[in-house]
């Protein structure tokens, strides 16, 4: 371990301005004080101490023995240059990705360490991760202390554990409130550096990301406490929450997207179970506008990352959004590699995901595009050798792509594979279906007819005559099991009027025929009660278009216990509206003469043509859009 300068280790009194200024040195002098062979912690993200790191690179040959330990950094190497040091990083960003791919038998190397950021402080304090020197960036001192500003995360543990501490003083660094300050007598050398603080902006998310964000936002309720890490998709999710109320933030990092919600009065923290009324975070990455907002603001509490993580257990309605890179067909999630290339890192995502999964009313969500930027599928039958599992399949709850969102917890391997393939890019689905059959995940002949995004805009909340609200939504193939449950709750006479014969069971294949639709020439809706994680289907409707006539055959099935509440009428209006907007001219239906209730539903639409023969009413009803007279509201 590096030895601290004499008389410094036990300093406790508040130092005068003159005392700490006596340790104000040039970057070169501070770098020269770092002994060869030292292990050096480097501060992170927008507080990366670039000046001292570059001074270390400029030191004589003896400094080749240095090892830098860090996670997400910005400027830990000069642009388009190599490095004289070994790097042990738990996050591979763009500036190190090419060096990680280089395998060098001799000389400097960059090694990726698959570790949760929340575990790093304990490893530093206990010596499991050896540390000699810490280099960080701080504010100018006030009253004998400095603030770690925009990047607290693991820095307190590094400062506590290191024998030698070097701090860049950035006059533009915001003073953040919370557990973010360090006594100046804990710092051995100060180096003045010019502002501004490093800024960060997300690249444009694009249409695909916007669709994903829209699906994710729909399952986030008022009063939720959010953890939304870095990534274009998580940032876009926040932009879709402008109609929510009383959200809270308890996150490893915040960006300008969080500030937008704070300024709009949407993030109040009033519904949080702990830390009421404040935003809790460990780091900030954004614009000068964000830094100005957090400067001296007690509503933003900055804490070490392990403290932030420790506070998760008490949070109610915790929502975590994790951006993934690849997922296999059983639901195993990789976040730090694509094929043979390491990129990104675990961060704190697995810990937040797990906490959200067990939080009362929480949502643990994984989001990704169906294809990667290079065009490769994001869904595969099996993850590659370097694509390690960050979130195991038994912990995967919600997953979203631009083609929809699905809840997978408690689902079988077959049900998972079917749901995930429906979230994949349409051009990849046939190959994935074949691969799933080859792996034994789905039976031979499994059909998936959808090739379009799940039409989330067609979801409606309908209030019935008894005041109960039900959600009417388009079906997915995975709704087959719910439809089978509906079938077995129906009275035998109701089964006969729906299927024109006495059926004792509804096979999975038959049920999937009623739920797996293409959303164009065939469409199906279900009416459900309960939350999105424990839905019960109480009614269903399907139509199938005859290409020769432009009409569609339609059928309805309503839970016997839900008759007489207006559910059939509501389903018919929603189906007719959708069909008319998709070019269907009319519905046709065969209704048994004894099924007066269904005949009334169809006749109530008006302009119906009825022909009766052999105890069956043959009905033809023109479709029509709802226009401005819709009796339901969007959910």
């Amino acid at each position: 371990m590096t030895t601290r300068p004499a008389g410094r280790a036990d300093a406790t009194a508040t130092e005068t301005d003159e005392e700490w200024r006596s340790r104000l040195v040039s970057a070169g002098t501070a770098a020269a004080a770092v002994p060869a062979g030292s292990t050096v912690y480097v501060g992170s993200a927008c507080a990366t101490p670039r000046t001292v790191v570059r001074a270390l690179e400029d030191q004589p040959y003896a400094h080749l023995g240095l090892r830098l330990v860090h996670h997400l950094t910005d400027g830990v190497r000069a642009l388009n240059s190599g490095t004289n040091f070994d790097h042990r990083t738990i996050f591979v960003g763009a500036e190190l990705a090419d060096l990680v791919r280089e395998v060098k038998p001799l000389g400097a190397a960059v090694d990726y360490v698959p570790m949760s950021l929340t575990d790093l402080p304990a490893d530093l304090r206990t010596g499991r991760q050896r540390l000699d020197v810490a280099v960080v960036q701080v504010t100018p001192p006030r009253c004998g202390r400095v603030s770690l500003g925009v990047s607290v995360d693991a820095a307190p543990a590094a400062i506590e554990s290191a024998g030698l501490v070097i701090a860049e003083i950035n006059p533009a660094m915001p003073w953040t409130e919370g557990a973010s300050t360090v006594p100046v007598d804990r710092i051995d050398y100060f180096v003045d550096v010019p502002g501004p603080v490093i800024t960060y902006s997300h690249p444009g998310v694009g249409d695909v990301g916007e669709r994903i964000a829209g699906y994710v936002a729909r399952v986030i309720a008022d009063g939720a406490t959010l953890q939304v890490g870095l990534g274009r998709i998580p940032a876009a999710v926040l932009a879709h929450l402008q109609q929510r109320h009383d959200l809270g933030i308890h996150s490893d990092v915040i960006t300008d997207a969080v500030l937008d919600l704070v300024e709009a009065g949407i993030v109040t923290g009033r519904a949080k179970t702990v830390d009421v009324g404040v935003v809790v975070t460990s780091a900030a990455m954004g614009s000068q506008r964000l830094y100005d907002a957090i400067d001296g603001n007690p509503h933003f509490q900055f804490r070490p990352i392990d403290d932030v993580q420790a506070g998760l257990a008490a949070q109610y309605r915790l929502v975590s959004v994790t951006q993934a890179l690849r997922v296999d067909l059983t639901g195993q999630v990789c976040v730090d590699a694509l094929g043979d290339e390491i990129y990104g890192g675990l961060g704190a995502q697995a810990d937040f995901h797990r906490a959200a999964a067990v939080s009362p009313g929480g949502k643990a969500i994984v989001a990704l595009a169906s294809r990667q930027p290079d065009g490769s599928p994001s869904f595969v039958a099996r993850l590659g050798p370097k694509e390690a599992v960050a979130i195991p399949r038994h912990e995967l709850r919600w997953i979203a792509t631009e083609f929809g969102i699905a809840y997978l917890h408690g689902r079988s391997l077959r049900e998972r594979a079917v749901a995930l393939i429906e979230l994949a890019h349409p051009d990849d689905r046939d190959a994935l279906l074949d691969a799933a059959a080859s792996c034994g995940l789905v039976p031979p002949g499994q059909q998936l007819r959808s090739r379009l995004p799940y039409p989330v805009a067609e979801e409606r909340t309908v209030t019935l005559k008894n005041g109960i609200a039900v959600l009417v939504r388009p079906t997915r193939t995975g709704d087959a099991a719910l439809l089978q449950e509906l079938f077995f709750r129906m009275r035998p006479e109701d089964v006969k009027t729906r299927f024109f014969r006495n059926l004792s069971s509804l096979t999975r294949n038959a049920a999937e025929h009623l739920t797996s639709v293409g959303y164009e020439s065939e469409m199906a809706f279900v009416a459900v009660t309960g939350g999105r994680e424990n839905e019960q289907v109480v009614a269903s409707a399907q139509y199938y278009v005859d290409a020769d006539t432009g009409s569609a055959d339609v059928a309805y099935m309503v839970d016997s216990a839900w008759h007489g509440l207006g559910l059939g009428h509501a389903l018919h209006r929603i189906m007719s509206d959708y069909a008319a907007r998709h070019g269907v001219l009319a519905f046709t239906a065969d209704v048994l003469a004894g099924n007066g209730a269904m005949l009334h539903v169809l006749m109530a639409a008006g302009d119906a043509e009825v022909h009766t023969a052999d105890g069956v009413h043959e009905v033809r009803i023109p479709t029509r859009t709802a226009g401005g007279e819709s009796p339901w509201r969007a959910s």
Side-chain angles (χ1 to χ4, degrees):
M1 295 285 287
T2 299
T3 302
R4 296 184 64 81
R8 302 289 316 134
D10 299 322
T12 56
T14 299
E15 292 188 307
T16 65
D17 186 67
E18 291 75 16
E19 286 174 322
W20 74 259
R21 284 188 181 277
S22 69
R23 303 195 302 282
L24 188 61
V25 299
S26 68
T29 299
V34 177
S38 294
T39 298
V40 182
Y41 173 87
V42 178
S44 63
C46 294
T48 301
R50 294 171 170 177
T51 301
V52 173
V53 170
R54 289 170 187 172
L56 286 170
E57 291 278 8
D58 292 338
Q59 290 301 299
Y61 181 79
H63 277 70
L64 280 176
L66 293 187
R67 172 185 291 171
L68 305 190
V69 175
H70 50 84
H71 51 106
L72 174 63
T73 54
D74 187 332
V76 78
R77 64 181 281 207
L79 188 63
N80 300 321
S81 71
T83 177
N84 290 323
F85 312 130
D86 288 337
H87 291 252
R88 290 176 61 82
T89 181
I90 65 175
F91 190 97
V92 179
E95 67 173 348
L96 291 178
D98 61 319
L99 297 182
V100 170
R101 291 193 290 267
E102 296 180 16
V103 180
K104 297 182 178 181
L106 298 172
V110 176
D111 289 329
Y112 170 62
V113 180
M115 173 190 287
S116 171
L117 176 58
T118 58
D119 291 335
L120 182 57
D123 274 20
L124 294 172
R125 291 190 180 100
T126 60
R128 290 192 294 265
Q129 171 59 65
R130 186 175 70 86
L131 188 64
D132 302 307
V133 181
V135 183
V136 296
Q137 191 173 102
V138 300
T139 64
R142 297 182 190 175
C143 303
R145 301 187 75 85
V146 293
S147 171
L148 291 164
V150 299
S151 190
V152 178
D153 47 62
I159 293 170
E160 176 186 327
S161 306
L164 178 68
V165 180
I166 301 170
E168 294 183 355
I169 296 179
N170 188 333
M173 180 66 70
W175 185 285
T176 52
E177 302 290 336
S180 64
T181 63
V182 177
V184 294
D185 58 24
R186 190 66 188 87
I187 298 170
D188 300 290
Y189 295 105
F190 292 95
V191 177
D192 268 334
V193 298
V197 177
I198 300 168
T199 57
Y200 169 82
S201 62
H202 286 292
V205 71
D207 291 341
V208 167
E210 288 292 345
R211 293 203 300 272
I212 298 169
Y215 286 121
V216 172
R218 290 182 74 89
V219 303
I220 299 175
D222 291 343
T225 294
L226 308 180
Q227 181 274 327
V228 180
L230 289 179
R232 291 176 292 176
I233 293 173
V237 170
L238 294 177
H240 281 256
L241 299 177
Q242 293 291 332
Q243 303 304 313
R244 299 296 185 272
H245 301 90
D246 288 331
L247 298 181
I249 302 291
H250 193 104
S251 190
D252 50 336
V253 63
I254 61 172
T255 63
D256 283 68
V258 169
L259 182 59
D260 292 339
L261 294 180
V262 171
E263 292 180 342
I266 294 165
V267 168
T268 66
R270 285 195 291 263
K272 296 176 72 176
T273 48
V274 294
D275 299 310
V276 177
V278 299
V279 171
V280 174
T281 188
S282 188
M285 297 178 64
S287 68
Q288 188 60 48
R289 167 174 160 262
L290 174 64
Y291 301 158
D292 290 342
I294 63 178
D295 188 20
N297 189 339
H299 293 294
F300 293 87
Q301 292 285 303
F302 282 70
R303 299 172 185 171
I305 185 62
D306 47 340
D307 286 355
V308 173
Q309 195 273 337
L312 295 175
Q315 295 296 339
Y316 179 65
R317 288 185 181 173
L318 179 64
V319 175
S320 173
V321 181
T322 297
Q323 185 165 331
L325 296 179
R326 189 149 280 161
V327 179
D328 77 12
L329 292 183
T330 70
Q332 298 187 119
V333 179
C334 175
V335 301
D336 59 357
L338 267 178
D340 292 331
E341 296 186 3
I342 301 294
Y343 191 80
L346 299 178
Q349 287 306 123
D351 300 307
F352 279 96
H353 180 94
R354 191 175 299 112
V358 300
S359 168
K363 298 281 192 301
I365 305 169
V366 170
L368 73 167
S370 66
R371 281 183 167 174
Q372 294 303 314
D374 63 1
S376 63
S378 295
F379 293 94
V380 292
R382 294 185 179 90
L383 295 176
K386 289 189 178 180
E387 294 173 333
V389 176
I391 297 173
R393 62 194 186 187
H394 69 276
E395 292 184 355
L396 181 60
R397 263 61 172 178
W398 292 92
I399 182 167
T401 73
E402 70 271 30
F403 292 100
I405 187 168
Y407 182 74
L408 297 187
H409 189 60
R411 304 296 190 259
S412 70
L413 290 177
R414 181 188 62 80
E415 291 168 335
R416 286 164 170 265
V418 168
L420 291 169
I421 293 171
E422 284 192 317
L423 296 179
H425 193 281
D427 293 343
D428 298 329
R429 293 180 189 176
D430 288 341
L432 287 171
L433 196 58
D434 290 343
S438 298
C439 296
L441 294 175
V442 301
Q446 173 75 54
Q447 296 295 312
L448 295 175
R449 293 200 287 274
S450 171
R451 290 295 183 270
L452 296 175
Y454 172 77
V456 66
E458 301 302 328
E459 293 185 351
R460 305 283 186 269
T461 294
V462 175
T463 301
L464 304 179
K465 293 178 181 178
N466 61 357
I468 293 177
V470 298
L471 174 68
V472 178
R473 63 165 178 80
T475 61
R476 305 178 183 91
T477 302
D479 291 325
L482 297 178
L483 207 64
Q484 288 176 297
E485 293 174 3
L486 167 62
F487 175 89
F488 287 111
R489 291 196 307 272
M490 294 178 65
R491 297 181 305 222
E493 57 268 32
D494 294 331
V495 170
K496 184 176 182 179
T497 58
R498 166 61 180 86
F499 294 98
F500 279 60
R501 60 186 185 276
N502 295 314
L503 289 179
S504 58
S505 67
L506 185 68
T507 67
R508 187 183 70 225
N509 286 345
E512 286 186 350
H513 176 72
L514 300 176
T515 58
S516 183
V517 294
Y519 304 135
E520 289 184 311
S521 61
E522 50 196 19
M523 185 59 187
F525 285 90
V526 286
V528 299
T529 61
R532 290 181 183 266
E533 297 169 2
N534 58 343
E535 293 178 326
Q536 181 181 76
V537 171
V538 295
S540 72
Q542 302 83 26
Y543 74 68
Y544 302 89
V545 174
D546 183 332
D548 293 331
T549 65
S551 299
D553 189 43
V554 66
Y556 300 91
M557 181 164 60
V558 179
D559 190 324
S560 302
W562 290 71
H563 286 186
L565 299 178
L567 189 49
H569 287 280
L571 272 176
H572 181 70
R573 287 192 295 268
I574 290 171
M575 286 276 282
S576 182
D577 172 65
Y578 185 91
R581 287 185 283 113
H582 287 77
V584 179
L585 301 178
F587 282 155
T588 59
D590 290 341
V591 181
L592 287 177
N595 191 359
M598 181 51 60
L599 184 63
H600 175 68
V601 166
L602 299 176
M603 295 292 289
D607 298 326
E609 300 175 7
V610 182
H611 302 281
T612 304
D614 300 325
V616 176
H617 301 299
E618 296 179 357
V619 185
R620 186 179 189 279
I621 321 103
T623 61
R624 61 186 64 190
T625 58
E629 301 178 359
S630 173
W632 56 85
R633 61 178 176 83
S635 61

